[in-house]
Amino acid sequence: MNQHRAAILGGNGFIGRYIVKRLAERGDVLTVGGRRAASAKFLKLKGDVGQVGLVNIRIDDEALLPAFVANNDAVVNLVGILHERKRGDFDRVHIELARKLADACRTSGVPRLLHMSALNAGVKAPSRYLRSKGEAEALVADSDLAWTIFQPSVIFGREDSFLNMFARLERFLPVMALARADARFQPVYVGDVADAFVHALDDDRTHRMRYPLCGPKVYTLRELVAYAGELTGYDRPIASLGPALSKLQARVLELLPGKLLSRDNLASMELDNVCDCDFPAVFGSNPTALEAVAPAYLTPAATRSRYSGLRAQGGR
């Protein structure tokens, strides 16, 4: 294992904190950048004094990006959005950032780029989200860098915005009305995704390779929502919406704060979010089952424990 100096863009987010923890624990020197990254001081505790630096950086700041990646031997791009606040955000956040980062790496002499994409990304995909991810992949793959692209299914873990979202909704709604309830997913554990990124840094076999990342089991959306309800104790009836009502629901929800669902999300679900291959053997591990992790953060006992911990932290 080599010690690395790595710049991690989006390292203060859900997936980033797991990658930062693993890299810091093994001794790598990290610069974590993103919106409000400097406020994520908990990341500094993952390593020794001075080992993890935090930098507030805007992805459209072309002047700062070269300075952010300079003096590193690898860059990790974890930045992505599921919803647009305004038209063109997917292009700006996914495509333009990928172009700027690849250019910054070349300018600063950084040879290695690890890029987070998405399962089903492609320039001919049915949604703007997946098409923008596909165009970003093409830009990275056309560069002369030693790149690795990761294409995960939906990612689960303690801080996820997927199972936790359904668990919250089931606490308040008497019935769960689901658009595309039969859409298929193969959720992958955030720790397994982080391990794949960390492993790839030291494995030349991963250079210029794309890796779909999925868990061991396929579920329908209905099954995932039912499982979240079973764990939380709020096992609500589930109503499957037809195509017309699904589009109407998405049209209404995308106008509300938080955007639980959009018409573009609905278009993404036209494709099964599942892998057509096993978890990549190059990473030397088997994927973690959803059932082995989700109870630790969704059951009532787990929720109470987490709340008590937050209260205790606030009292210190």
Side-chain angles (χ1 to χ4, degrees), residues 36-234:
R36 300 182 296 276
S39 65
K41 299 189 186 301
F42 67 92
L43 291 175
K44 285 182 170 287
L45 302 177
K46 307 299 184 185
D48 295 332
V49 174
Q51 187 183 351
V52 180
L54 306 176
V55 179
N56 286 338
I57 185 169
R58 294 176 56 87
I59 62 173
D60 53 3
D61 193 331
E62 295 190 47
L64 277 182
L65 276 178
F68 173 70
V69 307
N71 302 314
N72 290 283
D73 56 73
V75 170
V76 179
N77 179 21
L78 301 172
V79 176
I81 56 172
L82 282 173
H83 307 286
E84 290 182 306
R85 291 186 178 180
K86 61 181 183 299
R87 189 78 175 214
D89 280 352
F90 284 142
D91 289 354
R92 181 178 64 84
V93 174
H94 297 155
I95 302 171
E96 292 306 317
L97 178 59
R99 179 182 291 112
K100 292 172 185 175
L101 267 183
D103 289 343
C105 286
R106 281 191 293 268
T107 301
S108 302
V110 179
R112 190 80 170 97
L113 176 60
L114 274 59
H115 178 80
M116 176 68 85
S117 186
L119 202 61
N120 293 328
V123 295
K124 295 184 178 180
S127 67
R128 294 197 309 277
Y129 167 77
L130 289 174
R131 288 194 296 273
S132 67
K133 284 287 193 177
E135 289 187 45
E137 278 195 24
L139 284 167
V140 171
D142 285 343
S143 74
D144 56 0
L145 303 171
W147 51 264
T148 304
I149 293 172
F150 300 88
Q151 303 165 320
S153 182
V154 62
I155 300 174
F156 70 89
R158 182 176 295 275
E159 306 88 354
D160 72 48
S161 57
F162 186 65
L163 289 180
N164 278 310
M165 176 186 70
F166 293 123
R168 286 193 298 270
L169 290 174
E170 286 174 308
R171 286 185 173 91
F172 302 107
L173 298 178
V175 176
M176 294 293 290
L178 293 183
R180 294 198 182 276
D182 293 327
R184 298 167 73 232
F185 298 87
Q186 198 169 348
V188 60
Y189 176 49
V190 62
D192 295 336
V193 175
D195 287 341
F197 271 81
V198 172
H199 180 99
L201 270 182
D202 289 318
D203 194 334
D204 292 351
R205 293 175 297 171
T206 66
H207 290 188
R208 306 186 72 81
M209 296 291 291
R210 290 179 170 91
Y211 292 107
L213 301 177
C214 288
K217 185 176 176 181
V218 176
Y219 309 81
T220 64
L221 181 60
R222 172 190 287 275
E223 290 170 335
L224 289 169
V225 173
Y227 183 56
E230 175 188 329
L231 290 179
T232 59
Y234 295 92

Side-chain angles (χ1 to χ4, degrees), residues 231-243:
L231 290 179
T232 59
Y234 295 92
D235 194 1
R236 307 301 192 190
I238 296 174
S240 301
L241 302 180

